[in-house]
Amino acid sequence: MISLSDVKTGKSAIIKQLSGGKEFTNRVAALGFTLGTKITVLQNFGAGPVIIELRDSRIALGRGEARKVLVMVENGEQAG
Amino acid sequence: MVSKQVNHSITIALAGQPNVGKSTVFNMLTGLNQHVGNWPGKTVEQKMGEFIHDEHNIRLVDLPGTYSLTANSVEERIARDFILDERPDVVILITNATELECNFYLLAELLMLPVPLVVGINMMDVANHHGIHIETHVLAAALGMQVVPLVASKNRGVHDLLEAAIHLAQTKDSFNPKRPEISAEHKRVLVDIQASLSGQVPAPYPIDWVAMKLLEGDSQVTELIQNDAPEAWEKIHAILLQHEDAYLDIASSRYEWIGRMIRAAVERPKAGVITITDRLDKVATHPFWGLLLLVGVFGVVFLLTYRLALPVVDWLGQGLVSPFATWLQHVLSGVPAWFSGLLIDGIINGAGTVLTFVPILIVFFAIMGVLEDIGYMARSAYVTDRYIHWMGLHGRSFLPLFLGFGCNVPAVMGSRIIEDRRARLLTIMLTPLVPCTGRLAVITFLAPALFGRQAALVTTSLVAFNLILLFITGIAIHHVVYKDEHIAFIMEMPLYHLPNVRTISLFVWRNTLAFIRKAGSIIVIVSAIVWLLSWLPYGDIQTSWLASVGHIFEPIGRWMGLGDWRLIVALLTSFVAKENTIATLGVLFGSHSSALGLAAQVAAILTIPAALAFMVVQMTFIPCAATVAVIKQETGSWKYAFHNLGLLAAISIISGIIVYQIAKLI
């Protein structure tokens, strides 16, 4: 399991765990960050905020927030 | 239409997540028949519209845009309290066709409330463009409720949506949709909670909804039961302790339900298709190119505001206000001097100030409306956030603060694009430290006489000094008031789409009107009061009460080398409008002949350290009345307006003293 902030641009991953306070997890859960959901990282420059795609919507997350989302990277190459 | 008899009154509430085009739908339905105010006791904007449709008197209430209905934010509390307390006849949920899955989360929450629902799916055209196809009738069949496709920006489907809502209002009892379910384990827990709650839930809350919200850990509902049903709470609390993570499971089950509902109805583009949004975002959200683009965009915004608005401002001043004042002076030649003075120099002058803001605000709001509507605002926030987040500001704070260089008034009003309340308040508090054109005009007027060849260097340094103060103050407020509390940065990035003229026009119209109505009267009153103070009691500014006030502050002024009361009075009159400093100096130094003469006269009584201190104080002095008025308007209370006055007064006095004392040593 790694942090969402460590997933490279173009890679997809599955949400395994949400850490951080209840206020944070509650808020992101409502946005669709539920366990087992697939996330695709659209932009991650290694510093600063990241942009991800999840359930058809694009969401920008601060790096600190992305660190609280623990994921498992999908095997195999990504298309496109 | 009007002559027809109206026999039904229907209340419809419009719900939806942010970025779904809800306000476009609202504007299409209500047009100018809308009333904008605040939700009672809150600083959240409330829009309501009343109109007649097919003999029905419709009252349309726009609920705040919210992602869910859990008490995480003021907006969410307002939305659900309205539905529970007022029981509208129908709730229309507006969703965005490109983000149906996320948007339906709100539907899952709304379905727990005792109210009939219609779903409008907006931006069908944008979805088609991105290869997303939605069969609304399949969706309607799955959900067991009416689903209406919309392209609100082109006014397509909006009429059908209204008809569907009216029809539902008349056949409420037949509303029987599919509702989301939760896991069997938590269903049993819910039954237990409901049993404990039985007969103890205060009106107007439905018991099953209260039980669900308790399981979700909703703070407001938890508090309600703790206070109103302490005995039941003890039992429930014991149950809840064993299911602390239930809310995650509930969110999952809602999304599972959503997945089942939309699976058959939505056709998605093949993976790997590169959309327009992808292509534009390659540049717009890039850490380097995005920043460069942002600078370019803001440069254009700035240029447009001043190229388009300033000529109109000049024309209003020279072509309208001054001739009118001259004419009035002529007409009033027989009346007492105090009367014509109060009317012309006090009230007309104040009204003229209000008028000069109008063209700037119109252009500014139009541009801001376009940037927001096409989806660029979220990108600009994304690229700037990393640079200002650490001081408690949000990426969205950047644009208002930047525009403060033009005028602080639209900057304060523009801060409403910041969703986070704390970041919004901090942005408003810091705005007056951004030097506006009024203040820049004063320092550029005086600098050549005071500093000779160093004028340009001093002027630039003064601007830099203000920005440094802004950072220091920002960090200080963030640290002291907000205890460095981290503001989560989670922001949706909407797909790009074309702007809607009607939405933007109404946005401009409403905001400009609100400024004239609310801030306008305050500016006129302040202008009249300051004039009276400069006139009473003997009709001469040199012996006036304003001069006395100047004398009172002389001791403080002396610490910064400004022991001359005339300089202090000049600063005080800048409260009406920043440029007034020069006009007042002109009156007090009796120099009507030439501008250069005045600057030289002022220079003659100031040493270099005192001149520097005067400039610094002028640049950081209390915000003008118009800015104070909009701070009150935007924060909904005088408290923040007075805090800001106090803050800026302290900053300007302390900076003035420090600059003077240090400069004297050099």
Side-chain angles (χ1 to χ4, degrees), chain B residues 60-322:
Chain B
L60 189 68
V61 181
D62 192 19
L63 299 176
T66 59
Y67 288 102
S68 69
L69 289 179
T70 307
N72 287 326
S73 68
V74 194
E75 285 80 3
E76 287 166 332
R77 288 176 190 213
I78 290 172
R80 70 186 202 188
D81 284 348
F82 180 83
I83 295 172
L84 287 168
D85 295 338
E86 310 271 326
R87 297 288 162 106
D89 294 291
V90 177
V91 171
I92 296 178
L93 172 72
I94 304 295
T95 58
N96 176 341
T98 63
E99 303 178 333
L100 219 47
E101 217 175 320
C102 283
N103 287 176
F104 269 22
Y105 191 80
L106 188 57
L107 175 66
E109 287 237 44
L110 283 168
L111 280 168
M112 292 192 303
L113 298 175
V115 65
L117 291 166
V118 179
V119 176
I121 301 188
N122 192 18
M123 306 197 190
M124 293 294 282
D125 55 341
V126 183
N128 275 335
H129 215 94
H130 284 83
I132 304 164
H133 300 284
I134 299 167
E135 307 262 8
T136 46
H137 62 275
V138 177
L139 208 49
L143 292 166
M145 65 179 88
Q146 297 184 80
V147 177
V148 182
L150 305 170
V151 183
S153 59
K154 292 179 184 137
N155 208 1
R156 260 186 246 148
V158 178
H159 187 82
D160 299 336
L161 182 68
L162 181 63
E163 303 262 280
I166 293 171
H167 177 74
L168 182 60
Q170 290 165 328
T171 54
K172 276 184 214 176
D173 296 338
S174 65
F175 183 69
N176 185 25
K178 299 250 174 52
R179 292 176 203 267
E181 296 203 332
I182 57 173
S183 70
E185 185 205 349
H186 286 131
K187 232 191 264 178
R188 280 194 298 278
V189 178
L190 266 188
V191 171
D192 289 347
I193 295 176
Q194 283 196 31
S196 310
L197 279 173
S198 172
Q200 309 227 35
V201 178
Y205 303 101
I207 184 166
D208 48 349
W209 180 78
V210 169
M212 178 70 93
K213 285 290 152 191
L214 286 172
L215 190 54
E216 281 183 75
D218 182 291
S219 56
Q220 198 185 20
V221 174
T222 304
E223 209 173 292
L224 178 89
I225 298 304
Q226 276 171 342
N227 293 332
D228 282 35
E231 282 169 33
W233 170 248
E234 264 181 43
K235 275 185 265 172
I236 296 165
H237 189 57
I239 302 173
L240 291 178
L241 280 177
Q242 296 169 351
H243 301 276
E244 285 206 83
D245 280 339
Y247 66 96
L248 278 180
D249 180 63
I250 294 169
S252 293
S253 57
R254 283 184 188 141
Y255 272 109
E256 261 166 47
W257 173 80
I258 293 167
R260 282 203 306 280
M261 291 297 115
I262 67 177
R263 192 175 301 139
V266 180
E267 183 194 320
R268 291 196 178 79
K270 281 188 211 97
V273 173
I274 296 165
T275 62
I276 305 164
T277 297
D278 289 321
R279 251 178 258 152
L280 289 173
D281 270 354
K282 276 242 151 61
V283 176
T285 60
H286 190 276
F288 178 71
W289 299 119
L291 213 53
L292 213 62
L293 177 73
L294 181 79
V295 171
V297 168
F298 284 0
V300 172
V301 170
F302 220 58
L303 203 73
L304 274 179
T305 308
Y306 290 92
R307 271 289 156 83
L308 293 177
L310 280 192
V312 185
V313 171
D314 287 344
W315 178 82
L316 283 173
Q318 284 157 18
L320 206 71
V321 180
S322 327

Side-chain angles (χ1 to χ4, degrees), chain B residues 403-484:
Chain B
L403 285 151
F405 277 105
C407 175
N408 288 178
V409 170
V412 170
M413 294 179 84
S415 68
R416 68 174 69 156
I417 57 168
I418 308 160
E419 282 150 16
D420 183 90
R421 186 175 158 74
R422 266 180 313 162
R424 186 167 63 219
L425 271 176
L426 187 55
T427 310
I428 290 175
M429 284 304 197
L430 294 178
T431 299
L433 282 170
V434 181
C436 65
T437 40
R439 272 175 281 173
L440 291 172
V442 175
I443 65 162
T444 43
F445 172 78
L446 291 173
L450 294 175
F451 306 104
R453 284 161 68 187
Q454 311 294 321
L457 176 69
V458 172
T459 312
T460 318
S461 312
L462 284 169
V463 174
F465 184 72
N466 264 50
L467 295 181
I468 293 168
L469 280 178
L470 188 151
F471 278 107
I472 295 173
T473 313
I475 295 165
I477 296 179
H478 184 48
H479 183 70
V480 176
V481 183
Y482 298 135
K483 314 279 181 226
D484 291 319

